Amino acid sequence: AVRFSNGRLQRPDAMRFTVYRNRDAAHPRKKHRRILVSETERLSYVGNNFGSGVPKCNSLCRYFIGVLDKDSGQMEVYNAEIFNMQPLLSGRKILCLTPAPQSQHARPIFPLRCKVSLVQKCVLICFSFAQVDLCIEAFGTSKQKRALNSRRMNAVDNDTVKTAVTKAAANIIDAKGVTALLQDVAQDDVQNISIFLPPCNEDADKPENVYKFEDILSPAEYEALRVPAAVFVNITPEEITKKTENKSHCSFVLEQLKFLPDDEKRRDHKARCLWFLDTLIKFSYLTVIKKKHPMGPECPQIISRKLTRNFTSLTYNNGSVQNLVSASMKAKITAYVIALALHINNFQTNLTILQNDMKLQESRMMDIAKAMRLKVSKAKGLLGLENDQNHKLGTLSLPLPVQKAPRSQRKRRKI
């Protein structure tokens, strides 16, 4: 079904249409793309079902066309789409569309310059922009000629634009200085990093309100952790030793299990947090999420959805859409692991242990910690690592330190 943007046809039965489809039939999105073209005595029209000009009604409802057989009185119903047909006017790039045989896919559509197609099956005639302007000057209507003159008056030479931009950039550098500009660039880097951080409340009056626990785990997700975290609530020292030998959990969790509170409520709370933190770290080891429950059947469904929805990015591969744990998503997981570890450890945590568990470089872990406004200090001989290894402690305290760009980003910008 078609509709024309510039009015109604006086003789719709005289119109002939040609449909083109994308040749990439394996792509889940492109295989449904269609281009509909038509031509009258005065104008050529083009419509498509993809891009910015697609009618929104196609996504809100479905359309059908019924073909009635007058002899039998029966009607056959077919799926339909609405195509918004727009005329090809001057100033727009005109494409030469050559339909392929019915048994093949449509050929790729390429723009042609300074060439006229004389094939009868060709729907549109191609000209360069300069040739179109000459045609308008010679044969165009008064309205087309006025539009051409207006476009030429508003056109600006490229060299003039480059000269103006260069001059404006020089004036900004002279007025503001290179140092101030580098600080602005660093601030932009910090804002880009903050996209992957938990929501931060800079006006918080307590450390626990900077990264709120509800922003890490919703009440429904926290309640769903009660059943799987029961193995941590009732764990014995012998079981902790066995799990440490088998390395069935990350080092941070195994170390914290030795110091579970005696109070039943606090013990259950810490066990739930440790179970989710351990699941987050194990999830970061994955690359492509192929299963519906990537962390196993013991992981609650609401937690599996949270991991897939919040900590993966969509990618297209081999004709299908996949969930990928990319490098940026691993940085996001690291930020949420740090925030949860701060809540577990009274807002001071050993970043070195978390770095080893996440299998990250120290510089990467420090960049994320500083972006989260933590004060990083050095210490030696803490539990969980060798005495000769330097430990980095991250502390969340108020007032929050001034946000700075990561060290690696600053070096790259200076070069």
Side-chain angles (χ1 to χ4, degrees):
V2 298
R3 64 185 183 189
F4 291 84
S5 61
N6 61 333
R8 294 188 177 183
L9 294 177
Q10 296 179 354
R11 297 176 55 195
D13 55 335
M15 294 289 293
R16 293 294 181 268
F17 296 89
T18 305
V19 180
Y20 301 87
R21 62 182 178 181
N22 196 294
R23 68 182 303 173
D24 191 356
H27 197 288
R29 294 187 178 93
K30 291 183 179 180
K31 67 180 181 180
H32 298 294
R33 293 183 177 181
R34 300 289 186 271
I35 297 177
L36 185 65
V37 297
S38 183
E39 188 177 15
T40 63
E41 296 178 354
R42 294 185 177 182
L43 289 175
S44 297
Y45 293 88
V46 175
N48 55 64
N49 63 350
F50 59 92
S52 58
V54 178
K56 294 183 179 179
C57 57
N58 282 333
S59 60
L60 299 177
C61 53
R62 294 182 62 184
Y63 291 88
F64 302 92
I65 291 181
V67 179
L68 178 63
D69 188 344
K70 295 182 179 180
D71 296 333
S72 63
Q74 294 182 350
M75 177 180 290
E76 295 183 358
V77 180
Y78 300 91
N79 288 317
E81 286 186 275
I82 299 295
F83 283 83
N84 189 27
M85 306 298 291
Q86 296 182 353
L88 285 173
L89 303 176
S90 61
R92 296 180 59 184
K93 197 169 188 179
I94 304 177
L95 301 178
C96 182
L97 309 178
T98 305
Q102 295 181 357
S103 60
Q104 300 179 2
H105 297 297
R107 298 177 184 175
I109 299 172
F110 298 99
L112 303 179
R113 298 182 58 192
C114 303
K115 181 178 180 181
V116 178
S117 177
L118 300 179
V119 181
Q120 292 181 355
K121 290 185 179 180
C122 185
V123 180
L124 303 178
I125 300 177
C126 293
F127 298 96
S128 66
F129 288 124
Q131 290 173 319
V132 172
D133 292 345
L134 293 176
C135 291
I136 293 176
E137 288 180 350
F139 309 107
T141 62
S142 299
K143 185 177 180 180
Q144 290 175 333
K145 291 179 180 180
R146 288 196 302 269
L148 176 61
N149 292 333
S150 177
R151 179 163 54 84
R152 286 177 171 176
M153 291 177 63
N154 294 330
V156 182
D157 186 72
N158 288 335
D159 294 336
T160 304
V161 174
K162 293 179 180 179
T163 302
V165 170
T166 303
K167 185 177 180 181
N171 293 337
I172 293 175
I173 293 174
D174 294 339
K176 200 167 185 179
V178 177
T179 303
L181 291 176
L182 290 175
Q183 292 176 354
D184 291 344
V185 171
Q187 184 64 28
D188 291 340
D189 287 338
V190 170
Q191 292 176 357
N192 292 334
I193 294 173
S194 64
I195 298 175
F196 304 103
L197 303 182
C200 178
N201 180 18
E202 297 186 358
D203 300 326
D205 55 347
K206 299 178 181 179
E208 56 265 29
N209 294 330
V210 177
Y211 297 106
K212 294 183 179 180
F213 186 80
E214 294 77 11
D215 294 329
I216 304 173
L217 279 171
S218 67
E221 294 162 352
Y222 180 78
E223 177 61 27
L225 293 173
R226 178 176 58 85
V227 175
V231 295
F232 287 172
V233 175
N234 304 317
I235 197 168
T236 62
E238 293 77 13
E239 292 175 338
I240 295 177
T241 303
K242 186 176 180 180
K243 288 180 179 294
T244 303
E245 294 174 355
N246 298 334
K247 297 182 180 181
S248 57
H249 301 287
C250 62
S251 301
F252 180 88
V253 172
L254 292 172
E255 191 64 33
Q256 290 299 319
L257 286 175
K258 301 176 183 178
F259 305 100
L260 288 175
D262 295 331
D263 181 74
E264 182 178 352
K265 186 176 181 180
R266 293 174 55 202
R267 186 182 184 91
D268 177 68
H269 173 74
K270 187 171 183 179
R272 297 190 197 192
C273 295
L274 289 175
W275 193 93
F276 181 68
L277 186 143
D278 186 67
T279 302
L280 267 180
I281 293 178
K282 290 178 179 177
F283 187 78
S284 69
Y285 299 158
L286 305 179
T287 303
V288 179
I289 309 302
K290 299 180 180 180
K291 301 179 182 179
K292 186 177 181 180
H293 299 285
M295 304 311 298
E298 68 277 2
C299 182
Q301 186 176 3
I302 188 174
I303 300 298
S304 296
R305 287 200 303 266
K306 177 185 181 70
L307 296 175
T308 305
R309 183 177 64 252
N310 295 345
F311 300 106
T312 63
S313 56
L314 293 178
T315 181
Y316 175 74
N317 186 28
N318 294 331
S320 62
V321 178
Q322 297 176 340
N323 294 93
L324 177 70
V325 183
S326 59
S328 59
M329 287 296 104
K330 187 165 184 176
K332 184 177 181 179
I333 294 174
T334 304
Y336 276 76
V337 166
I338 293 175
L340 188 56
L342 291 171
H343 280 274
I344 294 173
N345 266 350
N346 197 22
F347 303 98
Q348 184 180 68
T349 187
N350 192 320
L351 297 175
T352 306
I353 295 180
L354 293 177
Q355 169 202 325
N356 292 342
D357 288 336
M358 295 292 298
K359 301 178 182 180
L360 294 175
Q361 294 183 353
E362 181 180 347
S363 59
R364 185 64 167 168
M365 176 61 79
M366 294 303 106
D367 287 343
I368 297 174
K370 292 177 181 178
M372 295 181 68
R373 317 286 283 275
L374 301 185
K375 294 180 180 178
V376 180
S377 58
K378 296 181 180 180
K380 284 188 176 182
L382 295 182
L383 294 175
L385 293 175
E386 294 78 6
N387 292 333
D388 59 346
Q389 184 174 4
N390 290 329
H391 294 234
K392 297 294 177 64
L393 298 179
T395 306
L396 182 62
S397 59
L398 298 177
L400 296 175
V402 179
Q403 206 168 24
K404 296 181 181 180
R407 178 178 54 190
S408 59
Q409 293 285 338
R410 290 200 304 271
K411 287 183 178 179
R412 183 163 63 248
R413 291 292 184 179
K414 287 182 179 180
I415 291 174

